[in-house]
Amino acid sequence: MNRPELDSRDLYAIADLAKEFGISTRAIRFYEAKGLLTPGRVGGTRIFRRRDRARLILILRGKRLGFSLRDISDYLSLYDADRTQHAQVALLVEKVDQRLKLLQEQWTDLETTIAELREIRKLASERMGAAG
Amino acid sequence: MNRPELDSRDLYAIADLAKEFGISTRAIRFYEAKGLLTPGRVGGTRIFRRRDRARLILILRGKRLGFSLRDISDYLSLYDADRTQHAQVALLVEKVDQRLKLLQEQWTDLETTIAELREIRKLASERMGAAG
DNA sequence: TCAGGGTTTGACGCAAACGTCAGGCCATGA
DNA sequence: TCATGGCCTGACGTTTGCGTCAAACCCTGA
């Protein structure tokens, strides 16, 4: 483990991050190709810093939230530029609101579905008599 | 409008349903190709009945819920066969539970994101002074 | 010196859910 | 009669988010 620069824990190899977050190196390279990450280079080899790691965390959360990489890319741009880009922030807030609304719809849809399944299950067990 | 069979409102042309639900005829044909719908035929032309319309409603709800057409197909099978397929129902209940859990996670993630956006928005407007 | 392990860049593959022609059939109305 | 409009079946195209080689480079340890 004689890699002083890497041991400062401000620098990560691609496999380090892949392992830490349980994703593939391919995925990480893909995020870079899409402009979501911009790691440094030593020769050809990618070197990730804390900033990159932080961005990766945001990317993964965005994915859990169901946003596309395009959307996440927009979101990440907020963390760069001055944060004074009012219009950008407004746009993002809007997108999150949309997503929130969609989740609310899903929630009520799900309640309906659950009720239906309960009904089906009930009918099923009735037909099966005491064997249910 | 001299189409007595169609005016009984138990029969629909493909375009009727497409228009009613705001989807393309292509999508409807696709659902049929995937076995989710089984409309009748008069010559080559598809004829949809109330049953097909009801299934289409379930399909669209399933999609809103984020399920794949494969999943929805399984779900629909419950509405056919005897409803006595205990195992099937259990399986579906399980899938819905999974989806429910996922939505709950998304919900809390989204709250975090919203809080962050509010913070950014606040910082932005502060920097812009009273002009916000 | 050479195998092994980690890295790189292409480039093709893939599954889902349709979009988008293309070409053809059929019925209707001016 | 012929143009128009709706429906049909292929069949290829598209987008998203990677997976999966392939071929090559570099460093390290036995």
Side-chain angles (χ1 to χ4, degrees):
Chain A
M1 298 239 177
N2 276 330
R3 297 178 304 171
E5 328 86 22
L6 290 181
D7 281 343
S8 70
R9 276 308 81 174
D10 185 32
L11 300 177
Y12 309 85
I14 189 168
D16 296 338
L17 295 182
K19 191 174 180 184
E20 176 175 2
F21 297 111
I23 60 181
S24 66
T25 57
R26 177 72 181 86
I28 295 178
R29 292 197 190 96
F30 185 75
Y31 300 152
E32 183 189 1
K34 290 292 170 178
L36 304 191
L37 295 175
T38 53
R41 299 276 176 155
V42 169
T45 304
R46 273 165 263 252
I47 299 297
F48 296 81
R49 317 194 60 169
R50 272 208 290 263
R51 174 175 180 280
D52 304 304
R53 185 173 170 281
R55 287 172 75 91
L56 183 51
I57 290 175
L58 290 176
I59 291 170
L60 297 179
R61 196 174 73 199
K63 278 174 57 64
R64 284 202 309 275
L65 281 170
F67 289 106
S68 70
L69 293 185
R70 278 275 312 144
D71 288 342
I72 296 173
S73 179
D74 295 346
Y75 180 70
L76 286 176
S77 71
L78 291 179
Y79 282 82
D80 301 339
D82 270 349
R83 286 177 167 78
T84 51
Q85 309 193 10
H86 212 71
Q88 290 270 6
V89 178
L91 197 151
L92 253 295
V93 168
E94 190 184 340
K95 271 194 177 166
V96 171
D97 284 350
Q98 282 176 19
R99 185 78 192 148
L100 192 60
K101 189 181 161 195
L102 215 158
L103 284 183
Q104 282 168 337
E105 285 177 19
Q106 290 193 357
W107 201 264
T108 59
D109 273 347
L110 207 49
E111 283 177 345
T112 306
T113 302
I114 287 173
E116 284 183 9
L117 284 176
R118 287 222 177 92
E119 182 64 17
I120 291 177
R121 188 164 49 183
K122 192 180 134 198
L123 288 174
S125 55
E126 277 172 7
R127 285 207 190 186
M128 299 192 77
Chain B
M1 297 236 176
N2 276 328
R3 296 179 305 171
E5 328 86 23
L6 290 181
D7 280 343
S8 70
R9 274 310 81 174
D10 187 31
L11 301 177
Y12 307 86
I14 189 168
D16 295 338
L17 295 181
K19 191 174 179 184
E20 176 175 3
F21 297 110
I23 60 180
S24 67
T25 58
R26 177 70 180 87
I28 295 178
R29 291 196 192 97
F30 185 76
Y31 299 152
E32 182 189 0
K34 291 292 171 178
L36 304 191
L37 295 175
T38 52
R41 298 275 176 157
V42 170
T45 304
R46 273 165 264 253
I47 299 295
F48 297 81
R49 317 195 60 169
R50 273 207 289 263
R51 174 175 180 279
D52 304 304
R53 185 172 171 280
R55 287 172 75 91
L56 184 50
I57 290 175
L58 290 176
I59 291 170
L60 297 180
R61 195 173 75 198
K63 278 175 56 64
R64 284 201 307 274
L65 279 170
F67 289 108
S68 70
L69 292 185
R70 278 274 313 145
D71 287 342
I72 296 172
S73 179
D74 296 345
Y75 180 71
L76 285 176
S77 71
L78 291 178
Y79 281 83
D80 301 338
D82 271 350
R83 284 175 165 77
T84 52
Q85 310 195 11
H86 212 71
Q88 290 269 7
V89 178
L91 198 150
L92 255 293
V93 168
E94 190 183 340
K95 272 194 179 169
V96 171
D97 283 349
Q98 284 175 19
R99 188 77 193 148
L100 189 61
K101 191 180 162 196
L102 216 158
L103 283 184
Q104 283 169 336
E105 286 176 18
Q106 289 195 359
W107 200 264
T108 60
D109 270 350
L110 205 50
E111 283 177 347
T112 306
T113 301
I114 287 174
E116 283 184 9
L117 284 178
R118 288 223 176 93
E119 183 64 17
I120 291 176
R121 187 165 49 182
K122 192 180 133 197
L123 288 175
S125 55
E126 276 172 9
R127 285 205 190 187
M128 299 192 77

